[in-house]
Amino acid sequence: MYTWGDYNDPDLVGALAGSTLNVTMKVDYYASNEDLITKLAASAGSSGFDIVVPTGPYIPQMIEKGLIQKLDKTLIPNMINVDPNYLAQAWDPTNDYSVCKNWGTTGYFYDTTKISKELTTWQDFIDTCMGEASGNCSVIDAAPNYCGMWFWANKINWNTETKADLDACEKFLVEEFAQHIKAFDSYPSTKLAEGAYSIAMAWNGDARQAYVRIEEAGGNPADWKWVLGAPNTELWMDNYCVAAGAPNAEAAHAWINWDLIPEISIKDLSYHGYHTGMKNMSQLISEVAPDLVKGDMIFFGDEQVATMQTQVITPALDRLIDILNKSKAKAGADLA
Amino acid sequence: MTFSVASVLRRRWRGPKYLLAIPAIIWYLVFFAAPIAFIVLYSFGTKDSSRLVPVDLGSLSTKSYSAVFDETFFKTFRATLRISVLATFLCVVIGLPVAYFAAFKVAEKWKAIILAAVVVPSFTSFLIRTVAWRIPLAPNGTLSKWLVGMGWISDNGIQILETPMAVQIAIVYNYLGFMILPLFVALDRIDVRMREASKDLGAGRVATFMGVTLPLAGPGIVAGVLLTFIPMCGDYVTATVLGGAKGNMIGAMIASQFSGAQNWPLGSAMAILMIAAVLLALVVGFVVVWIAPRLAALASPVVQVVRRKILSDQSPASK
């Protein structure tokens, strides 16, 4: 499986998969959908990966480039356990190629002992990174999220294709913001525990894992505060797909099907901290995992969900990637 | 029958001698020359995300090269060069005493143990050794807390991770072995009688080292510098793992063009320019190293004439 960092309970991709399904999983990680697509495209069907986990809007181009194959739905009967709200999405209306793994959102996480101000919005995040936490902040290393931060703060839809918006975004992020960044880090949880950043942009599940890591490292998780991005933020859904040319397609189907069993799915959820889209979620949680920690970082109210925007792949994506790269060069070059 | 077999065995190999090099030539053609040729080709293409290999070779242009020539590329390149040059220098300074000690100062069996100590860390993967630096350098780590407790550093703890300093420290560590081994081999091959002769002829320790040992170790130093400096310039693991946004190196920048931006033409152009610049840096470096002693030698007759003049002026009585 080629997936996002720390994205499954280690038992489920390790010993338990071996003992239950007789499947040995090997897991490799990427930091962005662009990385995933490059790796699959460069090896043209011989990457050796069976399962890949792209975010929804990237699925159509992966189908078009022949990077993923149709699912054999007869091998995934457990798809009926998935809440219909999370099936039949715009990118794959018939779920011929993909099935929901989980969905989540983006916000940030900060150390209240180092940052005195109460933060609530993306604008607060930007101001803090450029002020109190200058040189001590990290941002997600994926272009849409990085640029989205600025769009959301300025009440612009992050799917904008307007040249003026993109120009303004580039001007601000590259010339004013980049120099304050300590790292471009898609999975800051471990480094937060090391004490590397005092504020970090993060996906909700990763921020929740940071709580656990900080505690393990002897820190005090209560010092840290999670903020859901506002006024708007992201809603993304990652999906299990089977790579074209997968050497073990049957085992891949078997494993995906197994991960869609409600109890297994909740076990996974308890680890990675993302809503897995199972039917009757609240009932399941109270039955299977009543002592789940930090549920407020996994489940969001209708009002919160209403502020979340789904990404659309537009020609502007190239521009966003360009802005990220220019920012990286700028952030790194300033000391030279 | 027996006779003829023996004669075949005894017959000398008469094929062209370069045949022995064929495996190496094939290897380099397939795995070095061909990929480099592709990179050169890509660098003249244009980006086309709709393709599997996102390069359009339909209309060749030098657009990517002109895109490379901006300030950020040069700044990153300069940072890379600075880190690599300093790290190579530190490797020589740290590696030379170790190699000297192993070659001249210890018994035969200890040589093997010292060399093993140099080589054994590389049994672990390069990446793991680099990630391992995050543990002692962590601002919340044990070492950091201890240093804060002793009052030696500020309350913020060790603030080295995610800076060029972290890259500098780890890159010296990562490549030190590649410096020590060639230095050791060069020093170990020096005939002890040469050094003895030098001492017999009245040279002191320093004069023997500077006049005999060091020049004879020259090829080893050159090999060590080549084996460390060139890979350091292209290293991106160390910078990616430890450097954060500030410790960026050109290797990481090129990698992000290929994987993140999917701009293979720009990444290729950067790679080609980097190869050229590293070659240039090496040529300049060696010209300096080559010219310096020759200039000194050129100047030496003059120096000696002057010195003789001074000596004769000072002691006219002895004449």
Side-chain angles (χ1 to χ4, degrees):
Chain A
M1 173 154 67
Y2 194 33
T3 185
W4 304 81
D6 221 345
Y7 213 23
N8 287 100
D9 185 323
D11 283 350
L12 299 183
V13 290
L16 212 52
S19 57
T20 316
L21 298 175
N22 201 20
V23 170
T24 312
M25 291 284 272
K26 280 208 258 175
V27 188
D28 200 356
Y29 307 103
Y30 52 84
S32 70
N33 285 294
E34 289 78 16
D35 282 351
L36 163 68
I37 290 170
T38 304
K39 185 87 163 253
L40 291 184
S43 56
S46 60
S47 65
F49 292 115
D50 296 305
I51 304 174
V52 292
V53 192
T55 308
Y58 289 82
I59 288 176
Q61 61 161 305
M62 294 181 72
I63 297 173
E64 195 184 321
K65 288 185 178 180
L67 300 178
I68 49 178
Q69 56 174 278
K70 278 195 174 182
L71 297 176
D72 184 342
K73 288 191 198 170
T74 60
L75 296 175
I76 314 183
N78 290 336
M79 215 187 267
I80 56 159
N81 297 329
V82 181
D83 187 331
N85 281 330
Y86 304 111
L87 292 174
Q89 302 291 314
W91 51 79
D92 186 15
T94 50
N95 284 93
D96 279 343
Y97 289 88
S98 65
V99 57
C100 171
K101 174 189 185 295
N102 51 237
W103 64 271
T105 184
T106 306
Y108 53 91
F109 200 55
Y110 69 96
D111 184 344
T112 53
T113 63
K114 302 227 171 86
I115 291 162
S116 46
K117 215 180 128 200
E118 170 89 20
L119 312 181
T120 54
T121 64
W122 283 118
Q123 191 60 50
D124 290 345
F125 176 79
I126 291 173
D127 292 344
T128 307
C129 289
M130 293 173 69
E132 216 171 348
S134 174
N136 237 336
C137 59
S138 80
V139 293
I140 289 177
D141 187 8
N145 297 81
Y146 173 63
C147 299
M149 164 190 80
W150 185 84
F151 290 131
W152 292 316
N154 289 281
K155 302 183 179 64
I156 298 168
N157 189 304
W158 71 321
N159 294 313
T160 181
E161 292 179 67
T162 316
K163 191 169 176 302
D165 290 344
L166 294 165
D167 288 346
C169 176
E170 169 163 347
K171 193 166 178 344
F172 179 80
L173 290 180
V174 176
E175 286 170 23
E176 293 179 46
F177 188 73
Q179 68 212 60
H180 300 282
I181 299 171
K182 189 171 196 183
F184 294 87
D185 190 343
S186 290
Y187 310 111
S189 62
T190 310
K191 292 182 191 168
L192 281 169
E194 283 175 358
Y197 321 124
S198 53
I199 185 166
M201 179 176 175
W203 289 304
N204 58 312
D206 197 54
R208 183 177 163 274
Q209 286 178 39
Y211 270 106
V212 180
R213 300 262 153 81
I214 288 167
E215 191 155 23
E216 280 170 1
N220 181 10
D223 289 342
W224 289 80
K225 186 162 185 258
W226 154 257
V227 179
L228 179 68
N232 289 104
T233 189
E234 169 187 35
L235 183 119
W236 49 260
M237 187 190 292
D238 286 341
N239 305 270
Y240 286 127
C241 296
V242 176
N248 312 295
E250 204 170 320
H253 282 85
W255 189 88
I256 293 171
N257 189 49
W258 183 58
D259 201 44
L260 295 176
I261 297 170
E263 288 76 19
I264 299 291
S265 181
I266 298 302
K267 179 169 163 53
D268 221 2
L269 175 150
S270 312
Y271 179 81
H272 59 57
Y274 295 106
H275 192 302
T276 51
M278 290 283 120
K279 279 177 186 161
N280 308 321
M281 184 55 95
S282 50
Q283 193 191 335
L284 263 178
I285 292 291
S286 58
E287 284 169 14
V288 184
D291 47 1
L292 183 77
V293 288
K294 289 281 168 198
D296 60 324
M297 293 175 72
I298 305 176
F299 310 109
F300 300 96
D302 293 343
E303 282 162 37
Q304 287 175 311
V305 172
T307 67
M308 300 177 189
Q309 302 170 343
T310 307
Q311 189 192 356
V312 181
I313 303 291
T314 69
L317 181 60
D318 280 353
R319 182 71 193 278
L320 301 182
I321 293 172
D322 192 43
I323 294 173
L324 175 66
N325 277 292
K326 280 186 177 152
S327 298
K328 282 184 179 177
K330 177 78 177 185
D334 254 24
L335 282 185
Chain B
M1 200 58 191
T2 324
F3 178 73
S4 74
V5 168
S7 80
V8 167
L9 282 178
R10 220 182 301 137
R11 206 166 70 198
R12 301 253 325 260
W13 168 252
R14 302 227 179 268
K17 292 203 170 70
Y18 66 77
L19 280 182
L20 292 172
I22 289 248
I25 290 171
I26 291 175
W27 193 268
Y28 276 109
L29 280 178
V30 174
F31 296 110
F32 177 72
I36 291 281
F38 271 107
I39 293 295
V40 172
L41 190 61
Y42 288 157
S43 71
F44 291 104
T46 44
K47 179 183 169 178
D48 180 357
S49 308
S50 68
R51 291 163 193 250
L52 216 48
V53 169
V55 184
D56 178 12
L57 293 171
S59 55
L60 298 183
S61 81
T62 55
K63 212 175 67 191
S64 298
Y65 284 91
S66 44
V68 172
F69 282 101
D70 73 349
E71 207 189 356
T72 47
F73 177 83
F74 282 110
K75 278 187 173 169
T76 311
F77 187 76
R78 212 161 56 215
T80 306
L81 215 54
R82 196 192 54 215
I83 287 177
S84 306
V85 168
L86 181 58
T88 308
F89 174 75
L90 288 173
C91 279
V92 174
V93 171
I94 300 169
L96 197 57
V98 177
Y100 186 86
F101 181 74
F104 298 123
K105 301 293 178 192
V106 295
E108 207 61 38
K109 67 166 185 180
W110 282 101
K111 282 186 187 181
I113 291 173
I114 291 173
L115 289 185
V118 171
V119 174
V120 161
S122 47
F123 287 11
T124 314
S125 108
F126 189 90
L127 185 60
I128 300 290
R129 279 182 289 143
T130 308
V131 173
W133 274 96
R134 296 202 69 93
I135 297 167
L137 295 183
N140 284 352
T142 315
L143 178 65
S144 180
K145 281 181 181 155
W146 184 75
L147 289 173
V148 171
M150 299 295 282
W152 289 343
I153 56 172
S154 80
D155 286 350
N156 290 332
I158 303 176
Q159 291 293 334
I160 290 181
L161 284 180
E162 268 76 50
T163 67
M165 173 70 99
V167 179
Q168 189 75 65
I169 293 173
I171 211 166
V172 170
Y173 161 77
N174 274 334
Y175 289 91
L176 190 55
F178 296 101
M179 180 64 83
I180 294 179
L181 289 180
L183 283 180
F184 169 79
V185 170
L187 290 173
D188 199 44
R189 273 171 37 189
I190 293 175
D191 193 334
V192 186
R193 286 171 300 179
M194 299 273 243
R195 285 160 45 86
E196 285 167 359
S198 166
K199 281 172 188 156
D200 287 348
L201 292 171
R205 285 165 180 273
V206 176
T208 301
F209 179 76
M210 298 306 285
V212 178
T213 313
L214 203 56
L216 286 172
I221 298 175
V222 171
V225 167
L226 291 176
L227 282 176
T228 52
F229 178 74
I230 297 175
M232 276 175 189
C233 286
D235 184 85
Y236 80 104
V237 173
T238 315
T240 308
V241 173
L242 300 171
K246 308 283 182 202
N248 205 7
M249 284 175 77
I250 206 79
M253 199 168 163
I254 293 173
S256 83
Q257 287 303 333
F258 278 89
S259 60
Q262 299 196 45
N263 195 339
W264 291 24
L266 186 58
S268 302
M270 283 180 175
I272 298 295
L273 286 177
M274 186 194 110
I275 293 171
V278 170
L279 279 177
L280 188 71
L282 280 175
V283 168
V284 170
F286 280 110
V287 164
V288 170
V289 170
W290 186 79
I291 283 181
R294 276 160 186 77
L295 276 179
L298 262 179
S300 71
V302 182
V303 172
Q304 280 175 14
V305 167
V306 172
R307 192 193 290 159
R308 227 174 283 146
K309 180 94 173 75
I310 295 170
L311 283 174
S312 60
D313 285 352
Q314 277 174 346
S315 50
S318 68
K319 280 263 159 169

